[in-house]
Amino acid sequence: GNSVTQMEGPVTLSEEAFLTINCTYTATGYPSLFWYVQYPGEGLQLLLKATKADDKGSNKGFEATYRKETTSFHLEKGSVQVSDSAVYFCALSRNQAGTALIFGKGTTLSVSS
Amino acid sequence: DSGVTQTPKHLITATGQRVTLRCSPRSGDLSVYWYQQSLDQGLQFLIHYYNGEERAKGNILERFSAQQFPDLHSELNLSSLELGDSALYFCASSVEAEQYFGPGTRLTVT
């Protein structure tokens, strides 16, 4: 079946450090891939997405590239800020309208100044 | 702000009780999804409605039910509540594969 595996957290970084959060997936066909972020006490916000192989999603300095050959969608940011502290979820959905998201377990990022 | 609203924000109730969670999707979105977020299970899909009709079920217990009304708002009904039902319940509405989440309802069963 379809599934998403994320690196376990927590990830603790100093401000301006480089961030990578690994995400790999198992899916039939060609899913769409997403990163969502959940700030403390809030709901999930869509951070970025990619809908086909080699697509790069980007937003707010975060990037992720859809790699079909390695079934990966790793999240990166060149210089993290304290305000990036949150839980990050990798997710997939089958590429058709009306299908539910399948989430990874989430990775907690803590950035200190 | 995603444009998806959920009420109430917090709910505290006792075991055996029944509660109703409400969700209003973004203007124009016909799909509503319900998800449960708990520490042990993570984020799990419960049920999907499209324009008033049930489209898919995930890991939804028989004690739980949902419906979507003609104005497209949706309600999730949880009955015979158990301690293990304590969780955050999110709804999301969608445009194609992209889903936008509400702020969630935190349910505490005591």
Side-chain angles (χ1 to χ4, degrees):
Chain A
N2 299 328
S3 66
V4 174
T5 302
Q6 282 181 245
M7 62 187 284
E8 300 241 350
V11 174
T12 304
L13 295 172
S14 298
E15 211 165 20
E16 298 183 6
F18 184 86
L19 169 71
T20 300
I21 300 178
N22 290 337
C23 171
T24 57
Y25 68 90
T26 301
T28 53
Y30 302 91
S32 291
L33 301 175
F34 305 86
W35 278 100
Y36 281 83
V37 58
Q38 186 177 28
Y39 297 101
E42 297 185 14
L44 283 83
Q45 298 177 26
L46 178 63
L47 183 59
L48 53 84
K49 68 173 184 179
T51 57
K52 60 184 187 297
D54 299 324
D55 266 2
K56 179 186 280 189
S58 61
N59 186 25
K60 299 181 182 179
F62 291 90
E63 293 183 341
T65 301
Y66 188 143
R67 301 281 188 206
K68 188 154 180 67
E69 64 276 14
T70 54
T71 63
S72 66
F73 192 54
H74 304 322
L75 182 68
E76 297 182 336
K77 186 175 186 183
S79 176
V80 293
Q81 305 300 312
V82 172
S83 57
D84 294 326
S85 299
V87 182
Y88 292 81
F89 293 91
C90 185
L92 70 80
S93 74
R94 287 182 292 123
N95 236 343
Q96 59 188 82
T99 57
L101 290 167
I102 296 169
F103 286 92
K105 290 188 180 298
T107 303
T108 299
L109 170 65
S110 179
V111 180
S112 58
S113 57
Chain B
D1 185 354
S2 66
V4 179
T5 60
Q6 287 187 250
T7 57
K9 193 170 177 61
H10 301 280
L11 201 47
I12 301 173
T13 189
T15 53
Q17 294 300 303
R18 173 189 167 95
V19 297
T20 298
L21 283 53
R22 182 187 170 108
C23 168
S24 293
R26 297 185 322 158
S27 176
D29 286 355
L30 302 179
S31 272
V32 171
Y33 300 79
W34 286 96
Y35 293 86
Q36 180 193 59
Q37 185 179 31
S38 62
L39 280 175
D40 53 346
Q41 299 291 330
L43 268 160
Q44 292 207 76
F45 165 64
L46 296 178
I47 197 163
H48 170 219
Y49 274 82
Y50 179 84
N51 202 20
E53 292 187 4
E54 181 186 303
R55 283 295 178 91
K57 275 186 172 180
N59 298 319
I60 189 165
L61 299 171
E62 285 192 11
R63 301 182 284 108
F64 296 1
S65 65
Q67 52 185 326
Q68 186 179 27
F69 295 86
D71 67 352
L72 301 177
H73 91 271
S74 177
E75 292 180 357
L76 180 67
N77 300 296
L78 315 176
S79 62
S80 302
L81 285 167
E82 302 175 0
L83 295 177
D85 297 328
S86 296
L88 261 171
Y89 292 85
F90 290 106
C91 75
S93 69
S94 74
V95 174
E96 310 224 346
E98 204 165 305
Q99 295 186 20
Y100 295 88
F101 283 75
T105 293
R106 181 172 292 282
L107 173 65
T108 302
V109 182
T110 61

